[in-house]
Amino acid sequence: MLQAVLRAIQLPDLRRRILFTLGMLFLFRLIAHIPVPNINPTTLEQLRQALATNQLAQLLNLFAGGALENFSVAAMGVYPYITAQIIMQLLQPLIPALQELQKEGEQGRLRLNRYQLWLTIPLAYLQAYGQTLTLERTINPNNDPTASLFRTPFDLAANFLPTFTVLTTMVAGTMLLIWLGEQINERGIGNGISIIIFGGIVSRLPGLIIQGFQISQAGDFSTILGLIGFVVIALLTIVGIVLIQEGQRRIRVQYARRVRGNKVYGGQSSFIPLKVNSAGMIPLIFAQSIIIFPGIVASWFYRPGAEGIGNAIAGFFYNTFNPTGQGGGIVYMTLLFLLTVGFTYFYTIVIFTQQDLAENLQRNGGFIPGIRPGKKTEEYLMKVLNRITLAGALFLGLIAVLPFITQSITGVQIGLGSTALLIVVGVAVDTMRQLEAQLIMRDYEGFLTR
């Protein structure tokens, strides 16, 4: 890996791409510290304390690189765009027009990407309003103008123009980050959106590690053993993520020989790489969002120490769907594990259905030796995919609950969740793969010009 980076730096074209990517990341970090208009700086500390008790807000803050706790113009990060991508992927099997666009190659992909951008805007407005209103009510439950997050209270009905200005600024910040990601795709190295998320998570990592060490278990010997155990588990987790992300089952494919005039086409063999984890990080996001939601809603109604049936019901949901709640840790981890496994299978099937491998093979004269083309090929591929996805789903489920297990074993609590760790490792591996592909391509070009 280090040799590949050194070789890339020595080549002027790749050096410009690497520097451009680093420049876009620097610009992203600069934008993350520009506050939205009308913000009240005296309440930012209360906002940070509120984020510490809200799991979903912590996840969004991590993806945004800490921009949410500063309430900057990039407070939402690129999360609305990711939501739009997921919605478009789920709609493609249901809408024939979107399926046709998917089959039109590069032109269809550009139109789908345009639809995703259009869908991102209303989703960003909706998320900006809900996210800001939730945080405003959290730090200012009595609707006191002096304790508001903004100089002019956040209210669309009473203060439409200042409130709409805040929302529009946040949406513009998200669209600007998406534009930065597209620039990285064209002129840099790696997937632009993933690089933006990667940069946000990595920028938060040093502070999270220091904070985790500060709240670790007391005692010199126990603390040292806990830190050593944490490092060992972290390294093994990274190795496991790389192996699962890169693991694949290769299905051999043979192409029929066709004779046209004096030329012979086909007769070659290739393979279909079925990945062990085709769903990536999406199942973890799905599972965490769903399991966190009941606890967040219950926290709006739960008052510790208060009496009443309603408060008791809210307390039950708050403690059950909270990893630190009374008696809810085991239930929370079990549900998180099962939801992650289930969503891994669901999303993998969605992606596999969109690829339509059996039909594409039959159209191009390809077949799997010993398997009839068409329906039999599709059933065979689905059977193999279900088997290898079992390993990927169980691993993702383990990754989802691993932070809680690690904390109970070592006593070290690091705010870097499983989803963030999977993103960091996955983006790093994918970027290095693209960098090596660029190097190989330039080696071939140099060989051909000699």
Side-chain angles (χ1 to χ4, degrees), residues 249-269:
R249 166 76 182 275
R250 296 186 175 187
I251 306 296
R252 184 168 172 267
V253 176
Q254 186 73 32
Y255 289 91
R257 181 175 300 179
R258 294 173 292 178
V259 179
R260 293 183 179 178
N262 295 327
K263 295 184 178 180
V264 178
Y265 299 91
Q268 303 172 347
S269 62

Side-chain angles (χ1 to χ4, degrees), residues 306-376:
E307 298 180 355
I309 298 178
N311 188 72
I313 296 175
F316 170 78
F317 281 97
Y318 177 79
N319 292 318
T320 300
F321 293 94
N322 190 337
T324 60
Q326 299 177 0
I330 300 298
V331 177
Y332 179 92
M333 288 190 293
T334 303
L335 291 176
L336 180 60
F337 179 86
L338 295 177
L339 284 174
T340 303
V341 172
F343 278 124
T344 301
Y345 270 98
F346 169 75
Y347 199 70
T348 299
I349 293 174
V350 170
I351 296 176
F352 177 78
T353 304
Q354 293 177 4
Q355 293 175 346
D356 204 2
L357 294 177
E359 182 178 346
N360 291 333
L361 281 177
Q362 190 173 13
R363 186 185 304 117
N364 295 315
F367 63 92
I368 300 175
I371 307 296
R372 294 182 61 182
K375 187 66 175 178
K376 292 294 183 181

